[in-house]
Amino acid sequence: VSETKTFEVTCIVCPTGCRAKVTVIDGDVKVEGVECPRGSEYAVKEITAPTRDFFTTLPIKGGNVPTCPVRSTQPVPKEMVINCAKEMAKITLEAPLKVGDIVMKNVLGLGIDIVATRDVDRETLRS
Ligand code: SF4
């Protein structure tokens, strides 16, 4: 008896937002409705091991701005995004920081680092 499963996935790789129909028949995967190969790759990954780029903004002490945006160096497994946000909520950064500086190494043991995505200089004291 053959087993067929179908999934609907909206590709988020570009703003076109193609709606992919993924059909799995006895382990063979067919993707329809996408306009380019990146959509097929995304749709298959989304039904097997979904991931998300992780971004947030953290408070920074002693900086010329109060917050600094950060992101993951690689996409994070979708089910771990909330836990990453909880880990990030525990830390306060310290200025100065440069783009690419690691603010948390190997977050949650995933082998993924969190890095700053802007430069933050030290606050200059006004007299
Ligand atoms: S399938 Fe290609 S064209 Fe369609 S949304 Fe994804 S990346 Fe964009």
Side-chain angles (χ1 to χ4, degrees):
V1 179
S2 74
E3 190 188 9
T4 302
K5 287 184 182 169
T6 57
F7 305 86
E8 299 273 339
V9 176
T10 301
C11 178
I12 58 170
V13 175
C14 91
T16 306
C18 294
R19 294 183 67 101
K21 183 180 168 199
V22 185
T23 309
V24 184
I25 306 170
D26 293 336
D28 288 333
V29 181
K30 186 173 84 174
V31 181
E32 298 166 288
V34 292
E35 288 188 18
C36 77
R38 291 184 302 164
S40 299
E41 194 181 319
Y42 175 82
V44 171
K45 195 163 163 228
E46 189 63 12
I47 65 162
T48 53
T51 59
R52 292 289 180 272
D53 287 328
F54 177 79
F55 302 88
T56 191
T57 300
L58 296 174
I60 185 162
K61 276 199 290 195
N64 58 352
V65 290
T67 57
C68 178
V70 300
R71 63 167 295 157
S72 56
T73 51
Q74 294 168 50
V76 170
K78 191 176 169 186
E79 73 278 8
M80 299 302 278
V81 168
I82 297 281
N83 290 339
C84 275
K86 287 181 182 165
E87 283 299 294
M88 292 297 105
K90 294 176 188 168
I91 64 172
T92 298
L93 307 176
E94 282 200 39
L97 275 182
K98 293 275 181 217
V99 170
D101 280 355
I102 295 174
V103 301
M104 184 172 280
K105 198 159 180 54
N106 192 20
V107 62
L108 300 170
L110 296 170
I112 296 170
D113 299 333
I114 306 296
V115 296
T117 60
R118 69 165 284 180
D119 293 345
V120 179
D121 292 328
R122 282 201 183 88
E123 182 179 27
T124 47
L125 297 173
R126 287 180 223 118
S127 53

